[in-house]
Amino acid sequence: MESLVIDPSFWQGKSVLVTGHTGFKGSWLSLWLNELGANVTGYALAPATNPSMYDSLALDDELDSIVADISDLATLSVTIKTLQPDIVFHLAAQSLVKPSYDDPVNTYQTNVMGTVNVLDAVRHCPSVKAVVIVTSDKCYENYEWSWPYRENDRLGGHDPYSNSKGCAELVTDSYRKSFFADNKTAIATARAGNVIGGGDWSDYRLLPDLIKAKQNTQPLEIRHPAAIRPWQHVLEPLSGYLQLAQQLCESGVDVAEAWNFGPVQEDIKPVHYLVEQAQKKWSSFEWYSPSQNEHHEANILMLDCSKARQKLGWQPVWRIDDALSKTFDWYDAFYSGKEMREFSLQQIQQFVQAANPQLFKA
């Protein structure tokens, strides 16, 4: 099946709610939706880092932003009832493994009850045609086996973060069966791999930690250099979310299920591969691995994305080295003082052209 083109005419004038719009992925998604002509409203806490992707893009000037907690059902319900959105992307989350050990209650409150709140508010809003609930590749019960996980594999998760994402999947499935069986609102979940890209400054993530170490000229501690992950540029899963939302509106129940979005098998690499690529670009960059790690993390994690390829026409665009190059370029541009909204839009355009070269032939 050929790649499904992200159709600006579909998005033009659509009312779209993005929860978690001030985060890394949410900011990229909001920028892209705005460029496609959607009327975007964001619902999230203020940006958690300084600098942040959200502020770098000056998104406050481009969309309506509601600063509120996803755990606040009353405010969320009023927002959705007032907005009457066509489509909802739910990205608001506590998205890191290590902080989930430090504060498991908040992790479950945000990731599980936050998902409950979104779905419960949506079930009282008949305008909503499609909902994409973003969870994680870590939602699977990880057996450390050497083949990729499919959407029908067992859910689970060792750490509170991973487990909370498995719970969010189960919550979504229950709500879909219990309250949305009439197919007036189609709901799907999306499980993406480990995303990289410009504009992420979160703690305990490989690329942001790498960039901070480079800027501060300090050696970087790499907790699990041999851990294998499905790395992909942030625009890869976002393109999947956009295609999935369009298909939910057009096909309804046929695609209202769980979907994996990850890289090709050859790009599932160990952590040290990415660090070594950074060393090639910045020769002064140094790193080390501690002799002991405080918390458990999975050693190997892979995704089978054949369903998305076959049924949605989605497929990865940038290989791992291209994704790393685009990421490094973004941070170089940021720290050299370039205008990052325009630079980010250029990267989106480059991605779209790479995905559909036949549309851009002279």
Side-chain angles (χ1 to χ4, degrees), residues 83-236:
L83 180 63
Q84 294 285 302
D86 301 301
I87 297 169
V88 175
F89 292 96
H90 175 44
L91 284 75
Q94 193 298 97
S95 58
L96 299 166
V97 171
K98 189 177 184 301
S100 79
Y101 282 109
D102 298 333
D103 190 357
V105 172
N106 178 65
T107 297
Y108 282 103
Q109 180 68 34
T110 302
N111 295 352
V112 182
M113 290 310 300
T115 302
V116 171
N117 290 346
V118 169
L119 292 170
D120 210 63
V122 165
R123 77 183 180 100
H124 296 293
C125 185
S127 70
V128 180
K129 300 298 186 292
V131 183
V132 176
I133 303 289
V134 176
T135 63
S136 171
D137 59 346
K138 296 178 180 62
C139 69
Y140 294 106
E141 184 70 38
N142 195 327
Y143 297 105
E144 303 283 352
W145 54 35
S146 57
W147 55 86
Y149 292 93
R150 298 178 181 176
E151 288 87 348
N152 58 355
D153 280 325
R154 182 186 175 92
L155 299 172
H158 180 109
D159 58 88
Y161 165 73
S162 302
N163 187 267
S164 72
K165 289 299 189 176
C167 292
E169 288 279 349
L170 293 172
V171 163
T172 303
D173 188 57
S174 175
Y175 261 79
R176 184 166 44 218
K177 293 172 180 174
S178 300
F179 304 111
F180 299 98
D182 59 6
N183 197 34
K184 291 179 181 178
T185 303
I187 301 173
T189 57
R191 306 163 180 178
N194 286 54
V195 296
I196 61 175
D200 190 2
W201 280 279
S202 301
D203 290 330
Y204 313 116
R205 281 196 185 133
L206 178 59
L207 264 295
D209 286 350
L210 188 156
I211 296 300
K212 292 172 198 172
K214 171 192 172 289
Q215 291 303 117
N216 297 327
T217 62
Q218 295 177 343
L220 174 62
E221 178 185 291
I222 301 295
R223 298 187 303 276
H224 298 274
I228 296 171
R229 295 289 185 269
W231 306 101
Q232 58 187 159
H233 193 274
V234 63
L235 295 180
E236 305 281 7

Side-chain angles (χ1 to χ4, degrees), residues 137 140 148-149 191-193 230 260-262 268 301-305:
D137 59 346
Y140 294 106
Y149 292 93
R191 306 163 180 178
N260 285 342
F261 297 104
I268 299 174
L301 182 55
M302 299 186 289
L303 291 177
D304 183 332
C305 304

Side-chain angles (χ1 to χ4, degrees), residues 206 225 227 231 266-280 287 320-321 324:
L206 178 59
W231 306 101
E266 294 80 7
D267 286 346
I268 299 174
K269 300 284 190 182
V271 167
H272 66 76
Y273 178 85
L274 278 66
V275 178
E276 289 160 1
Q277 298 308 111
Q279 282 186 308
K280 290 179 182 178
W287 65 282
I320 181 61
D321 289 345
L324 284 168

Side-chain angles (χ1 to χ4, degrees), residues 285-303:
F285 173 75
E286 297 180 358
W287 65 282
Y288 67 96
S289 179
S291 57
Q292 202 169 0
N293 287 294
E294 182 180 358
H295 297 302
H296 168 274
E297 289 192 45
N299 291 313
I300 183 169
L301 182 55
M302 299 186 289
L303 291 177

